[in-house]
Amino acid sequence: MILNSSLKFTLKSCIFVAFLLLLSSCRHNAAHASSSSSSSQSPTTTAAAARTPAPSTAYNNKSLPFFLQDLQKKYAHQPIYLQAVHEMARSLQPLFQHPIKGKQYQRAFLILTEPERIISFKVPWEDDDGVLQYNRGWRVEFSSALGPYKGGLRFHPTVDEGLLKFLGFEQVFKNALTGLPMGGGKGGSDFDPKNKSHGEIKRFCQSFMTELYRYLHPSTDVPAGDIGVGSREIGVLMGQYKRLANRHGTGVLTGKSINIGGSYERAEATGYGLVYMAKLAIQDKQHQDLKDKICIVSGSGNVAQYTCRKLVEFGAKVVTVSDSNGVLYFKDGMTLEDWKVIVQGKQVDRQRLSQLADKVVGGEYLADTSPWTLAGDLNSIDYAFPCATQNEIEEHSLRRMMENGLKGIFEGANLPIELSAQELLQQHHNSDIIYIPGKASNAGGVGVSGFEMAQNAQKMPWKHDTVDEKLKELMAGIYSQLVKSQGEIGCSLNDSANQVGFQRVVDAMEDLGWV
């Protein structure tokens, strides 16, 4: 009896082992088939992938410093977030190696890589056919060391927790550079506003705020707009907040219209501030101005629009704007009338650039390409203003631009340059090429959001000229911090921005007893 039981147990064990071996073989074959399929993809698919690099490709498994290895294991599924951490950690190596405070800086950085709170929720909404739809929503409250969480809301199908952690992480140090009392955060949804009716967008925004409103307060968390969230969406979100909370005149959102407590120049602030800083840097480092300089601008949203507007005002030759389908190319430079057509098409009529090609003077629409591919084909290029999205400039595109005389890159988007391309810039930081990262160069938007918070708290609006002067002072102040730190440490402006922002947050954490 015992012998029979033993034989049965052995037989069952053999069958189980055989099953495991078969399963392992199937996985191996599936992986091989997947690899073969990937390597034989069509030229069209390959070209599309080249235009929109995947975050995992951009990150390329770069190793983080030893004390962050556990972070890399835990969040291997969030490559764009790890890329932001890696880029920041590389800049902070001199602080990590400090003989006295190095360990403390490492500990503080490790603390800062984890958000203080992540709020996730379901967003139900009804489409125009009466069908109930669902999306996911998040608010990543990253750091409150310097003040209430501050950062935009993004509505886009690519939004997930990893993307928002990357954006929130960047926002912490960007806000620190402004010198205003603002912490860092980011939020949004994988809802796609494209091709949605006004009613559908309104119903989605109302449902989104129904979930989020309980976490907002002027002293806790103050969101703003971002990709897919303009003044129209902010207005609906604010309206729903008022209905739910019965609080009025409360500055729980920025980017509002003037009619409901917004600030002058909030919509223009990121683009205008970007050009103000570029103008300062070009005058300081190269003793030139922007007049007649060939400028490549990517994107056609809010940041790109007002970057173009201010560049045209300063006499620059703006030759491109873009969307995900192609580029609108102006061989002889964009005119103010061209700019008005683009703004009307994008802000009012919600059109693609391909629909505007026959309405602008001297503009040619080039489908299925990017400004950075086009920039490599131009005989000359002076300055690049990436204002579209993360990882849009690849290393090979940057090399070609440098060969064609590139004099500077000023980031309007967050982390628009791939890590390998950033390292190429780092190798040339002693050259004549100016590179200012988005933490510094696109901080004008959140700066004017801070001004809007101040106006809401004072219950007193500022005049347009006052806001513009304060924006210029803000950008000049940030630039002077970078130059001062660069002179003291002997690093690039990029590393200077990262170190100054980090040091300010760490100083606050020390005062609060958080490190």
Side-chain angles (χ1 to χ4, degrees):
M1 191 73 176
I2 295 173
L3 180 61
N4 287 340
S5 298
S6 176
L7 285 171
K8 287 178 182 179
F9 177 77
T10 304
L11 182 60
K12 288 179 180 179
S13 299
C14 291
I15 292 170
F16 180 68
V17 170
F19 172 73
L20 290 178
L21 290 171
L22 179 62
L23 181 61
S24 176
S25 175
C26 290
R27 285 177 175 171
H28 174 76
N29 291 337
H32 179 73
S34 175
S35 175
S36 300
S37 173
S38 298
S39 62
S40 60
Q41 59 187 316
S42 69
T44 303
T45 304
T46 305
R51 289 194 301 274
T52 309
S56 57
T57 303
Y59 180 62
N60 199 28
N61 295 319
K62 295 286 186 180
S63 294
L64 291 170
F66 72 93
F67 67 95
L68 295 171
Q69 292 299 316
D70 184 57
L71 188 81
Q72 184 164 307
K73 292 176 184 177
K74 285 195 296 186
Y75 301 119
H77 61 291
Q78 297 176 348
I80 187 65
Y81 165 62
L82 289 179
Q83 180 185 342
V85 173
H86 182 278
E87 187 269 340
M88 189 72 180
R90 181 197 55 75
S91 288
L92 299 179
Q93 283 303 308
L95 297 181
F96 295 157
Q97 295 167 5
H98 191 278
I100 299 173
K101 298 189 68 174
K103 293 294 183 183
Q104 184 174 357
Y105 285 135
Q106 291 177 22
R107 188 164 56 253
F109 186 76
L110 189 58
I111 293 169
L112 282 167
T113 59
E114 291 286 357
E116 293 176 6
R117 187 179 298 106
I118 298 178
I119 302 160
S120 62
F121 46 89
K122 179 171 62 179
V123 187
W125 58 280
E126 191 175 277
D127 66 21
D128 287 342
D129 295 324
V131 178
L132 194 61
Q133 304 287 346
Y134 291 92
N135 283 93
R136 296 175 297 168
W138 294 269
R139 185 64 178 171
V140 178
E141 296 180 335
F142 224 107
S143 172
S144 59
L146 290 172
Y149 308 108
K150 189 77 191 81
L153 298 172
R154 177 175 294 194
F155 293 168
H156 193 272
T158 61
V159 168
D160 59 20
E161 186 177 298
L163 179 70
L164 294 175
K165 282 174 64 179
F166 141 62
L167 293 169
F169 183 74
E170 292 280 294
Q171 195 78 43
V172 171
F173 307 107
K174 178 191 302 185
N175 293 0
L177 285 171
T178 67
L180 300 173
M182 298 183 294
K186 207 72 176 183
S189 172
D190 55 7
F191 173 77
D192 188 359
K194 192 184 298 182
N195 299 321
K196 299 292 192 302
S197 70
H198 176 72
E200 289 173 327
I201 291 172
K202 178 180 177 180
R203 290 190 291 275
F204 174 82
C205 289
Q206 289 172 336
S207 182
F208 185 90
M209 181 53 79
T210 299
E211 296 299 324
L212 186 63
Y213 87 98
R214 68 203 75 205
Y215 305 105
L216 306 184
H217 187 274
S219 298
T220 306
D221 191 347
V222 185
D226 195 83
I227 294 173
V229 181
S231 60
R232 175 184 65 171
E233 290 76 19
I234 289 291
V236 175
L237 291 166
M238 189 67 197
Q240 185 69 356
Y241 176 86
K242 285 163 66 71
R243 292 170 65 189
L244 293 167
N246 193 31
R247 295 192 184 104
H248 314 290
T250 303
V252 296
L253 290 168
T254 59
K256 306 181 293 293
S257 72
I258 294 295
N259 296 329
I260 56 174
S263 173
Y264 285 112
E265 214 163 273
R266 174 59 189 92
E268 302 92 332
T270 306
Y272 281 12
L274 175 64
V275 179
Y276 288 154
M277 182 167 287
K279 185 171 181 283
L280 283 170
I282 291 166
Q283 290 173 340
D284 178 45
K285 299 290 186 181
Q286 298 172 344
H287 309 292
Q288 298 182 28
D289 58 31
L290 282 162
K291 186 172 177 57
D292 297 326
K293 298 298 187 298
I294 298 172
C295 297
I296 300 281
V297 178
S298 68
S300 52
N302 183 283
V303 178
Q305 289 168 24
Y306 292 107
T307 296
C308 291
R309 175 66 180 85
K310 193 57 69 172
L311 285 171
V312 170
E313 180 182 320
F314 287 154
K317 186 178 177 181
V318 179
V319 295
T320 64
V321 287
S322 66
D323 59 23
S324 57
N325 298 120
V327 175
L328 199 54
Y329 173 56
F330 298 88
K331 182 180 179 180
D332 298 320
M334 180 190 297
T335 65
L336 186 57
E337 292 305 313
D338 293 330
W339 179 82
K340 290 178 180 178
V341 169
I342 293 168
V343 170
Q344 173 71 23
K346 285 294 179 180
Q347 293 189 13
V348 181
D349 301 329
R350 309 280 171 173
Q351 294 177 310
R352 308 296 290 170
L353 289 180
S354 57
Q355 298 172 277
L356 304 177
D358 59 350
K359 299 179 182 179
V360 295
V361 178
E364 177 186 4
Y365 183 73
L366 306 174
D368 300 321
T369 190
S370 79
W372 316 118
T373 302
L374 179 64
D377 296 331
L378 298 177
N379 293 327
S380 177
I381 171 176
D382 292 308
Y383 301 109
F385 294 83
C387 298
T389 190
Q390 63 272 6
N391 288 323
E392 56 177 292
I393 300 181
E394 298 171 282
E395 182 182 353
H396 68 88
S397 298
L398 178 60
R399 285 188 183 277
R400 293 191 65 187
M401 287 193 287
M402 291 169 72
E403 292 168 359
N404 291 342
L406 179 70
K407 297 184 180 69
I409 300 180
F410 307 94
E411 294 182 348
N414 294 306
L415 212 66
I417 301 176
E418 281 189 352
L419 196 59
S420 59
Q422 290 176 18
E423 290 170 351
L424 177 62
L425 282 170
Q426 186 67 18
Q427 294 168 16
H428 291 79
H429 82 268
N430 289 321
S431 69
D432 292 332
I433 298 175
I434 304 170
Y435 168 46
I436 300 184
K439 290 183 190 70
S441 56
N442 69 28
V446 74
V448 174
S449 277
F451 299 161
E452 184 175 333
M453 291 167 66
Q455 294 171 73
N456 291 161
Q458 296 170 356
K459 309 293 185 185
M460 184 177 296
W462 299 349
K463 294 180 179 178
H464 188 282
D465 290 346
T466 301
V467 176
D468 191 59
E469 283 303 312
K470 286 184 176 293
L471 174 60
K472 289 177 181 177
E473 291 173 7
L474 179 80
M475 302 313 292
I478 294 173
Y479 180 71
S480 67
Q481 291 178 72
L482 305 194
V483 172
K484 180 182 178 183
S485 178
Q486 183 186 40
E488 292 173 352
I489 304 171
C491 61
S492 66
L493 288 173
N494 177 54
D495 289 349
S496 177
N498 288 335
Q499 292 182 28
V500 171
F502 174 72
Q503 188 71 63
R504 183 162 290 161
V505 178
V506 172
D507 288 347
M509 291 171 68
E510 289 178 347
D511 291 346
L512 292 165
W514 291 2
V515 64

